[in-house]
Amino acid sequence: MLAATTARIDAKKRAVLDSRKKQFAKATWEAETYDYRMNFYLTPPTGDIALEQFEEWAIARLKVLAELEACQFRNRSPAETEEYMRPVLEKYMRLSSNASKSSEIFTERKRDHYSHWTLRLAFSGTAELRQRFARLEAQLFRLRMQWDDAKERKEFIASLAMSWETVSEEEKLQWRAELKAATRVWDKEEEENYFKVQWENVPDLVERRMCLLKRGMAYVHIREQSGMVVNEFSRQLESALELAGRFLPRMDEDDRLSPILHHLSQQFVAPDSGYSESSSIGDITTPTAASIDGLSQHFPLCMQNLHRELRKNSHLKHFGRLQYTLFLKGIGLSLQEYKFKSEYLYNIRHSYGDVGGDANRRGKGYTPYSCQKLLTEAPPSSGQAHGCPYRTYGPDNLIALLQNVGVSDRQLLQGVREDVGKQRFHIACNRVFEHAHAAQIKKVKEESLWPASELDTILHPNTYFKRSFLLKNLGKVQAGDLGVDGPVQSSGGSERMET
């Protein structure tokens, strides 16, 4: 009976039901193609990528969005934002045009497509994250539209299923005077092309009286077309994020993806930035315990706070000691420069990788903490001084702390207070840095001494230190990582770093 039943099952159906064969079956979807570098991201990715790429591409895109948001927080003009963002996009999310004939076009566009959808999942969990993501993605889309090749932009727009109609020559002739007045086309050389759309789709143009209204239709000049495309992109993305938010709970069942998505969502506090050995100044000068007091002028507030606490009490509690020790290790201070108290000997040697063997990062020890780690760790309790002061101090105490380290500009302090109130902690820190180094940053920009990428948003205390050190020693140190005209000397402090 069983044999007869089996025989009656269609062979094709049996193949589909066989899970061992199903996993090797040919995909029923079409392979991804990218005809344009612009993308509405209407369809999710269908191919396979490694988990490492899944996270790596998303982090690269997140850095772009973070820099774009930082431009807004710093009140950069549209022109300044464009100038600032060009090298950032070139570094993290390059998109070559079709005319470039680049062999990397498909890879670049695939990375752009996948990274957008990864972050869409990561930031769909709450209304606030969805709003931030949609706003920044729309800004990124607008920038790319402005930079796109005119021919390719026109072809991309033509490929979209937009609800507009081209205004015929007869209609243009009929309404020409009113069209020109309503859309403010006074230049005889300006292109007189128009399209019409339901007025509800262009409320901003109606509000600004930049279109002609006739029988429920808005007649719009061609120059407004790119803005309408951006608005439609925003509208569709916001709707899609709502759907993604409902789907997100199912992702918790995947123990491979959910930790990555959670980690990415945390990075909207401050994008993570791994420590690089290039953040050390060991190739320029040799930091010693005796030079730390002099070098502390280049420390970010979190490390200045720990340094002052150590000098005041000759002691730091465990988490503060670990944070400060790793920072000093990162700037190039050697283990031999420490004067150990016996109870801390093993911990400090372990941080440096002097003990612990292969289990301890193969003898390299732990890496210095990033801003993101300091901002997302548990805050210090009474008597502790670790973490990020911009987050852990109350506004009045923070202002007092900044004044104690020499920050006195009232407008700057007010900007810091506003940043902290909106939980833009790393932006507040960058604001203080840029004010303290304004003259040097201006010189670097005007004389093109550094690549623009060397002045992007600081996301790591050790990056803060080295950039400050290099800017304050421009006459002695070349740009970049950055070569040396001669040793840079620092003075002050004790013979050994006592912890």
Side-chain angles (χ1 to χ4, degrees):
M1 182 65 180
L2 179 60
T5 303
T6 305
R8 288 197 298 269
I9 297 177
D10 183 81
K12 292 182 179 179
K13 291 183 179 179
R14 187 165 61 245
V16 172
L17 292 172
D18 190 335
S19 60
R20 293 169 298 178
K21 294 180 180 180
K22 186 177 180 180
Q23 62 180 315
F24 299 110
K26 184 177 180 180
T28 57
W29 55 76
E30 294 182 2
E32 293 152 346
T33 59
Y34 303 103
D35 296 327
Y36 315 100
R37 58 176 163 182
M38 300 302 300
N39 195 335
F40 255 40
Y41 311 105
L42 297 178
T43 57
T46 56
D48 294 331
I49 61 170
L51 280 176
E52 291 77 9
Q53 286 180 313
F54 181 84
E55 185 171 23
E56 178 187 328
W57 292 354
I59 289 173
R61 190 182 197 91
L62 184 57
K63 288 180 179 177
V64 170
L65 298 183
E67 291 293 350
L68 200 52
E69 189 170 48
C71 287
Q72 177 189 356
F73 292 159
R74 297 175 193 175
N75 297 317
R76 296 185 190 271
S77 68
E80 290 172 334
T81 298
E82 284 192 42
E83 179 185 3
Y84 182 82
M85 289 303 299
R86 279 188 184 273
V88 174
L89 280 163
E90 182 71 15
K91 180 178 179 180
Y92 294 113
M93 293 293 298
R94 176 191 292 180
L95 282 179
S96 302
S97 68
N98 292 336
S100 70
K101 306 296 184 183
S102 170
S103 61
E104 298 297 316
I105 283 180
F106 179 80
T107 302
E108 291 170 359
R109 295 178 186 182
K110 179 177 180 179
R111 180 172 62 236
D112 174 63
H113 185 202
Y114 280 63
S115 63
H116 169 88
W117 274 88
T118 302
L119 292 187
R120 183 185 290 198
L121 284 176
F123 301 136
S124 60
T126 67
E128 180 186 1
L129 287 177
R130 290 194 293 268
Q131 290 169 4
R132 287 178 68 188
F133 179 68
R135 173 172 49 82
L136 293 172
E137 281 286 330
Q139 290 177 15
L140 176 59
F141 185 88
R142 186 187 298 276
L143 272 182
R144 285 173 165 171
M145 282 279 288
Q146 293 170 354
W147 296 340
D148 203 8
D149 175 82
K151 179 176 179 292
E152 293 181 27
R153 179 172 61 242
K154 185 176 181 180
E155 291 174 351
F156 168 70
I157 292 175
S159 73
L160 300 173
M162 300 291 287
S163 57
W164 58 44
E165 301 175 42
T166 302
V167 176
S168 66
E169 291 297 324
E170 292 77 13
E171 282 186 289
K172 281 198 291 185
L173 184 62
Q174 181 182 4
W175 310 112
R176 175 158 289 167
E178 291 181 76
L179 282 169
K180 284 189 173 185
T183 58
R184 303 176 192 179
V185 177
W186 308 116
D187 189 344
K188 293 182 179 180
E189 301 297 323
E190 190 166 9
E191 186 179 15
E192 292 187 24
N193 284 335
Y194 302 88
F195 55 94
K196 56 184 177 180
V197 64
Q198 293 288 336
W199 72 268
E200 297 97 330
N201 293 341
V202 286
D204 56 325
L205 296 180
V206 174
E207 182 181 4
R208 292 188 287 122
R209 300 184 179 182
M210 290 294 292
C211 60
L212 175 65
L213 296 179
K214 290 286 183 182
R215 300 166 188 162
M217 302 296 289
Y219 288 71
V220 183
H221 191 269
I222 193 71
R223 65 168 175 247
E224 306 291 347
Q225 194 175 48
S226 293
M228 288 184 61
V229 172
V230 174
N231 290 341
E232 181 63 15
F233 172 84
S234 297
R235 188 190 67 77
Q236 294 198 24
L237 178 56
E238 288 167 4
S239 298
L241 284 167
E242 290 286 344
L243 292 175
R246 298 174 199 168
F247 175 77
L248 193 61
R250 302 183 192 177
M251 299 299 297
D252 293 338
E253 300 172 6
D254 191 326
D255 56 7
R256 300 168 304 161
L257 295 184
S258 55
I260 296 176
L261 296 177
H262 176 72
H263 177 65
L264 290 170
S265 68
Q266 288 293 309
Q267 290 199 44
F268 237 172
V269 176
D272 203 1
S273 177
Y275 170 75
S276 170
E277 292 184 1
S278 64
S279 296
S280 166
I281 59 171
D283 57 340
I284 300 171
T285 186
T286 303
T288 64
S291 70
I292 292 300
D293 280 344
L295 292 174
S296 66
Q297 65 179 298
H298 305 297
F299 289 4
L301 187 62
C302 54
M303 300 305 166
Q304 285 192 20
N305 192 38
L306 290 170
H307 181 74
R308 287 161 59 88
E309 181 73 14
L310 179 61
R311 285 291 183 238
K312 178 182 177 182
N313 299 317
S314 299
H315 172 73
L316 289 174
K317 293 195 173 182
H318 172 74
F319 292 112
R321 185 168 64 252
L322 180 59
Q323 179 179 324
Y324 190 53
T325 298
L326 292 175
F327 170 77
L328 294 179
K329 172 191 171 185
I331 73 173
L333 186 72
S334 72
L335 180 62
Q336 288 68 38
E337 290 294 318
Y338 283 86
K339 179 181 178 182
F340 298 113
K341 292 183 179 179
S342 58
E343 62 267 36
Y344 307 141
L345 175 60
Y346 183 86
N347 288 340
I348 293 177
R349 290 180 62 196
H350 191 265
S351 298
Y352 270 76
D354 191 50
V355 293
D358 290 342
N360 185 16
R361 305 222 179 220
R362 297 185 178 179
K364 293 184 179 180
Y366 298 108
T367 56
Y369 292 163
S370 67
C371 296
Q372 197 235 20
K373 181 172 178 61
L374 297 182
L375 288 170
T376 54
E377 292 290 295
S381 57
S382 177
Q384 295 179 319
H386 63 276
C388 172
Y390 293 98
R391 176 200 176 208
T392 60
Y393 277 56
D396 293 338
N397 289 337
L398 174 63
I399 297 304
L401 178 62
L402 285 168
Q403 291 172 330
N404 286 339
V405 298
V407 179
S408 58
D409 185 271
R410 293 181 63 182
Q411 186 175 355
L412 171 64
L413 293 173
Q414 180 59 32
V416 168
R417 190 183 288 273
E418 291 173 3
D419 286 334
V420 169
K422 296 178 180 178
Q423 298 188 332
R424 304 191 302 232
F425 306 116
H426 69 295
I427 297 298
C429 185
N430 275 267
R431 188 187 296 275
V432 171
F433 180 92
E434 290 175 1
H435 183 272
H437 302 82
Q440 294 85 3
I441 291 173
K442 181 180 179 183
K443 179 180 175 67
V444 164
K445 287 182 176 179
E446 289 179 348
E447 300 181 17
S448 300
L449 298 178
W450 295 9
S453 60
E454 294 290 338
L455 291 173
D456 57 5
T457 303
I458 296 171
L459 298 170
H460 200 292
N462 288 84
T463 303
Y464 186 114
F465 167 77
K466 185 167 186 180
R467 191 176 296 178
S468 173
F469 179 85
L470 294 174
L471 286 171
K472 292 296 187 180
N473 289 282
L474 276 177
K476 300 176 182 178
V477 183
Q478 301 299 320
D481 263 337
L482 284 173
V484 188
D485 287 336
V488 180
Q489 302 294 336
S490 300
S491 60
S494 57
E495 293 182 356
R496 289 291 181 97
M497 195 66 201
E498 184 173 347
T499 59

